């Protein structure tokens, strides 16, 4: 049976959510800080709320955030 | 004791040996220099700064002195040393005082990791500060000088020192470094300002320093809380305006202009994020000093 991919916030992450749906994130893994807005912020906030995210619908954004070690994906996307 | 309480000969003697222990906010620097340009610069610009005892602690031991070698006979040069090492190339002798200032900036920005250090001008009213992060050449020092000469307290024209645990701001209150057209802008704005000589042909063009006001120098030990983050943008054609800036954008300006953010890791992120959360954030566009000062005076009046 195929494992359903699961998108999660990276464990090394610190983040701060601001009212206008901007999210600042700091990855202790990379030492980098990013400001997430628009799709990236919405996706991140959905993960932060524990909502199920379908990786297939957000493939480019997830790829970028995964590369930045902001999100991790368990299983294959 | 303050520098102005030393006679010219006492100042000269201290600067020759064992050095003048000059306090600029949280930093004490032992300065040695036989050069009259440095003596005169310190006598003018640091008149109201405190001098520590010769046997007290100093964070940095620096020297500005003539470089040796054959060039000293036809194009004299000066060199900046810290702990005996020379981190920069020699410069023409006329640049001795600017070189001391640049060297002191480097000492702080490269070593004082008890602070998150941001490339920003900082002025305050009471204990509430305006933080103006910006890269070089955006006019932050010009605006900072204008505000300081209009009654704001100068904390720094160049380096915001943010306590890495509490987020409070410490002051350096050192001379404001102006470049090129900014020199005449500030002279015209504040004819009472005390300037050092204009030094031409530096790597930054013509440079002149403005003496910190006495009130700013005397208050250099007092910390302040960031209340506003303002991104200044000088534009000769601008209609003066103060537009809200999102906290995320303001935060990233602090991060992008920080010298040592990487040293502090997640704690640095938290402290800067907390700082921004306690601030109102704006983009300031202006073409004239009067407008910029009036806008920020009005902003401060609302606090």
């Amino acid at each position: 049976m195929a494992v359903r991919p699961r998108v999660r916030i990276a464990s090394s992450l610190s983040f701060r959510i601001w009212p206008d749906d901007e999210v600042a994130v700091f990855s202790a893994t990379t030492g980098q800080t990013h400001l997430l807005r628009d799709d990236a912020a919405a996706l991140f906030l959905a993960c932060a709320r524990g909502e199920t995210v379908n990786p297939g619908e957000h493939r480019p954004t997830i790829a970028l955030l995964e590369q930045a070690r902001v999100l991790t994906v368990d299983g294959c996307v | 004791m303050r520098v102005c309480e030393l006679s010219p000969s006492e100042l000269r003697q201290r600067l020759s040996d064992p050095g003048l222990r000059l306090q600029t906010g949280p930093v004490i620097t032992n300065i040695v220099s036989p050069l009259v340009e440095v003596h005169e610069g310190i006598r003018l610009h640091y008149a109201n700064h405190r001098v520590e005892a010769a046997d007290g602690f100093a964070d940095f031991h620096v020297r500005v002195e003539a470089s040796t070698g054959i060039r000293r006979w036809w194009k004299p040069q000066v060199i900046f040393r810290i702990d005996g090492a020379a981190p920069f190339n020699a410069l023409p002798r006329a640049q001795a005082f600017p070189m001391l200032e640049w060297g002191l900036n480097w000492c702080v920005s490269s070593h004082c990791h008890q602070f998150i250090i941001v490339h920003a001008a900082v002025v305050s009213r009471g204990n509430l500060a305006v933080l103006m992060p910006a890269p070089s050449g955006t006019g932050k020092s010009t605006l900072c000088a204008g505000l300081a000469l209009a009654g704001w307290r100068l904390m720094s024209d160049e380096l915001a020192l943010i306590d890495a645990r509490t987020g409070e701001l410490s002051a350096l209150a050192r001379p404001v470094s102006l470049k090129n057209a900014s020199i005449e802008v500030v002279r015209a704005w504040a004819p009472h300002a005390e300037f050092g000589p204009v030094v031409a042909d530096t790597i930054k063009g013509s440079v002149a320093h403005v003496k910190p006001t006495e009130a700013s120098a005397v208050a250099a030990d007092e910390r302040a809380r960031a209340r506003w983050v303002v991104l200044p943008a000088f534009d000769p054609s601008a209609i003066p305006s103060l537009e809200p800036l999102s906290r995320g954008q303001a935060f990233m300006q602090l991060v992008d202009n920080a010298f040592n953010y990487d040293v502090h890791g997640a704690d640095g992120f938290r402290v800067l994020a907390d700082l921004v959360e306690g601030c109102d954030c704006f983009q300031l566009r202006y073409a004239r000093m009067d407008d910029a000062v009036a806008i920020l005076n009005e902003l401060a009046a609302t606090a």
Side-chain angles (χ1 to χ4, degrees):
Chain A
M1 188 175 140
V3 177
R4 184 188 173 93
R6 188 174 169 208
V7 183
R8 292 196 292 194
I9 294 172
S11 60
S12 70
L13 211 71
S14 303
F15 61 91
R16 191 66 59 99
I17 301 167
W18 279 301
D20 30 12
D21 282 351
E22 288 178 322
V23 185
V25 296
F26 171 78
S27 165
T29 306
T30 64
Q32 298 292 309
T33 300
H34 305 278
L35 182 65
L36 309 184
R37 306 171 83 174
D38 305 324
D39 288 351
L43 182 65
F44 182 91
L45 290 170
C47 291
R49 287 191 294 264
E51 295 172 12
T52 302
V53 171
N54 181 353
E57 292 175 10
H58 306 277
R59 199 182 298 272
T61 307
I62 287 176
L64 285 172
L65 294 178
E66 197 178 21
Q67 194 175 18
R69 299 291 183 267
V70 171
L71 298 179
T72 60
V73 183
D74 295 340
C76 300
V77 179
Chain B
M1 173 184 277
R2 294 196 283 170
V3 170
C4 63
E5 293 169 43
L6 295 170
S7 70
S9 64
E10 284 174 321
L11 178 62
R12 194 164 51 244
Q13 189 176 356
R14 285 213 190 196
L15 282 165
S16 299
D17 184 46
L20 180 78
R21 300 217 163 184
L22 185 67
Q23 180 171 10
T24 51
V27 178
I28 297 172
T29 308
N30 191 70
I31 302 170
V32 175
S33 181
L35 304 176
V36 66
E37 295 89 341
V38 172
H39 298 179
E40 290 305 308
I42 289 176
R43 193 176 60 79
L44 170 66
H45 293 294
Y46 290 99
N48 297 302
H49 286 72
R50 219 161 57 205
V51 178
E52 293 295 312
D55 59 352
F57 176 80
D59 298 275
F60 303 110
H61 293 259
V62 306
R63 307 174 74 93
V64 180
E65 56 197 4
S67 59
T68 54
I70 195 163
R71 285 183 69 109
R72 71 183 187 274
W73 301 113
W74 57 288
K75 277 192 177 175
Q77 291 190 314
V78 291
I79 197 140
F80 176 89
R81 295 186 195 281
I82 171 171
D83 299 334
F88 311 115
N89 292 332
L91 293 174
R93 176 159 178 166
Q95 298 180 28
F97 185 72
M99 190 176 209
L100 171 65
E101 287 297 308
W102 296 331
L104 294 179
N105 284 344
W106 179 84
C107 287
V108 173
S109 61
S110 303
H111 299 88
C112 293
H113 299 312
Q114 68 271 42
F115 301 107
I116 302 167
I117 304 170
V118 178
H119 197 189
V122 190
V123 292
S124 68
R125 275 278 170 83
N127 71 335
L128 300 180
V130 182
L131 204 52
M132 297 185 279
S136 294
T138 50
K140 70 178 182 310
S141 289
T142 315
L143 178 56
C144 178
L147 290 164
L149 293 163
W152 289 71
R153 174 188 162 209
L154 168 70
M155 296 187 73
S156 177
D157 72 317
E158 189 78 9
L159 301 173
L161 303 183
I162 301 168
D163 186 295
R165 288 171 301 144
T166 66
E168 285 182 304
L169 293 161
S170 289
L172 284 171
R174 294 193 6 236
V176 177
S177 173
L178 297 175
K179 298 183 281 290
N180 304 315
S182 298
I183 299 168
E184 289 313 313
V185 168
V186 174
R187 270 195 216 279
W189 162 252
H192 61 285
E194 292 185 77
F195 278 78
V198 177
V199 179
D201 300 326
T202 78
I203 196 168
K204 302 178 179 194
S206 294
V207 169
H209 288 85
V210 184
K211 178 182 177 179
T213 60
E214 181 175 359
S216 299
V218 168
D221 288 342
E222 294 173 19
R223 290 181 155 206
R225 178 170 73 79
R227 177 67 182 79
W228 303 278
V229 177
V230 174
L231 268 51
F234 172 77
D235 174 355
S237 61
I239 296 169
S241 66
L242 190 69
E243 301 293 333
L245 184 74
S246 75
R247 289 205 163 92
Q249 289 175 293
F251 171 79
M252 290 307 292
Q253 285 292 325
L254 295 178
V255 169
D256 290 343
N257 285 288
F259 287 97
N260 64 344
Y261 177 70
D262 56 326
V263 171
H264 295 282
D267 289 338
F269 174 87
R270 177 186 54 77
V271 167
L272 290 187
D274 287 347
L275 182 150
V276 164
E277 274 187 12
C279 288
D280 294 328
C281 307
F282 300 96
Q283 168 103 51
L284 170 67
R285 294 186 190 283
Y286 69 102
R288 293 173 357 115
M289 185 75 82
D290 318 46
D291 295 328
V293 171
I295 286 171
L296 291 177
N297 281 344
E298 199 174 316
L299 184 66
T302 64

